[in-house]
Amino acid sequence: MGEGMSAASGRRTILHLSDVHATHGGLLYDAVDGIERLERVGRYAIDAGVTPEAIVITGDLVERGHAAAYPRLREALDRLCCALGAPVLAVVGNHDTAAAATLLGDDGWRAPGSLTADRIAHVGDLRFALLDSADGALHPQQLARLRDALAEPFGLGTVVALHHPPLPSPLPSLAKQSLANGDELMRLLAGTDARLVLAGHFHHPMWASQGGVPISVGPSLVYQQVMDAVPGTVAGDGEAMFSLVHLTGASVSASSVRLTSPAPLFTRHIVVPA
């Protein structure tokens, strides 16, 4: 797989999407079409001149009970890949079923009959470790394979992607929804070439660091948690968001982007340095 145009500047770009919750035969909460929002992300990237090396989707590809949405989602991901000239690397979430494996390719660790969909993918000088946390934890065999895969450094380093964040949300309603053995994962990553962990699940953006490894929890494409919801409840505001992640040899950053924005207060032309 080749590198995107952003690599020419020494910066690698990852378009990080999460929690698409695609549906079949109706809209999510009678209001949201996750696949249509995927299409809008593609248009945004083209209009904004974003040239990612990879598109990473961290799980909950479809809404629970909507497995019939996978074929339509596959078509949308193929269009996104073609439009942006970048591979789509998806992991499964707790809403996904075994049918999601058909979206993930046949490369990597998955053995015949395996219940996990872990994979390693190389995109230019980045290595991606794509982990199946659909049941809320990583099994010992998964961690052992990951340890073996990271035994030798690669290029600019490794980006680890999974659905469940390895640390808790600040929201009391989500405090117990993180990866059950997140500390174990982060201890394994410490001292390796892991540059970043990408996750989703919380439906709100969060940035953290543990053991020297940054963690970026991406917002959801279909709704965001209302952070001041009444205690004992959860609420979503319907905003569509995703993240732009940038890596250089020395730095990592992630920026949350809204698909809909208020009218600008001002607009001025700027000169971009060559």
Side-chain angles (χ1 to χ4, degrees):
M1 296 178 182
E3 295 176 349
M5 292 175 60
S6 67
S9 66
R11 184 177 74 173
R12 310 294 184 268
T13 299
I14 300 169
L15 194 63
H16 178 202
L17 313 176
S18 197
D19 296 88
V20 180
H21 290 272
T23 54
H24 178 77
L27 301 177
L28 184 68
Y29 297 114
D30 297 321
V32 176
D33 182 344
I35 294 177
E36 185 273 335
R37 290 189 172 185
L38 272 177
E39 307 278 6
R40 287 167 57 192
V41 169
R43 293 195 296 272
Y44 167 92
I46 291 171
D47 291 345
V50 176
T51 56
E53 274 67 55
I55 303 158
V56 175
I57 307 180
T58 49
D60 281 359
L61 307 175
V62 305
E63 176 70 358
R64 183 177 290 110
H66 287 255
Y70 283 123
R72 180 171 167 241
L73 177 63
R74 173 73 270 174
E75 293 173 359
L77 296 182
D78 287 344
R79 289 193 296 272
L80 188 62
C81 174
C82 291
L84 299 186
V88 175
L89 307 175
V91 300
V92 293
N94 52 289
H95 277 249
D96 291 306
T97 69
T102 61
L103 296 176
L104 305 180
D106 295 324
D107 56 323
W109 300 329
R110 191 166 61 250
S114 173
L115 296 179
T116 64
D118 294 344
R119 283 134 42 245
I120 288 287
H122 297 90
V123 181
D125 52 10
L126 286 175
R127 176 168 61 187
F128 291 84
L130 307 163
L131 305 178
D132 177 351
S133 71
D135 63 1
L138 296 176
H139 301 289
Q141 299 91 332
Q142 293 177 275
L143 293 170
R145 289 193 298 258
L146 178 62
R147 184 179 294 107
D148 290 344
L150 300 186
E152 295 292 333
F154 178 86
L156 279 182
T158 300
V159 176
V160 178
L162 74 170
H163 183 59
H164 292 78
L167 75 177
S169 166
L171 283 176
S173 58
L174 296 177
K176 296 183 179 180
Q177 298 298 313
S178 58
L179 188 72
N181 52 346
D183 286 345
E184 188 176 3
L185 171 64
M186 298 311 296
R187 285 195 300 269
L188 185 157
L189 297 180
T192 70
D193 74 342
R195 299 291 309 280
L196 175 67
V197 175
L198 296 177
H201 188 52
F202 287 163
H203 287 246
H204 70 72
M206 186 170 72
W207 178 266
S209 179
Q210 186 170 333
V213 180
I215 302 165
S216 179
V217 180
S220 166
L221 200 57
V222 292
Y223 72 85
Q224 312 310 313
Q225 296 284 351
V226 175
M227 302 300 281
D228 59 351
V230 174
T233 69
V234 292
D237 65 12
E239 179 110 32
M241 296 178 68
F242 60 96
S243 291
L244 285 176
V245 177
H246 293 119
L247 297 96
T248 70
S251 67
V252 177
S253 68
S255 303
S256 297
V257 180
R258 296 184 297 179
L259 269 181
T260 56
S261 300
L265 179 64
F266 66 90
T267 300
R268 65 167 65 106
H269 294 288
I270 60 174
V271 177
V272 179

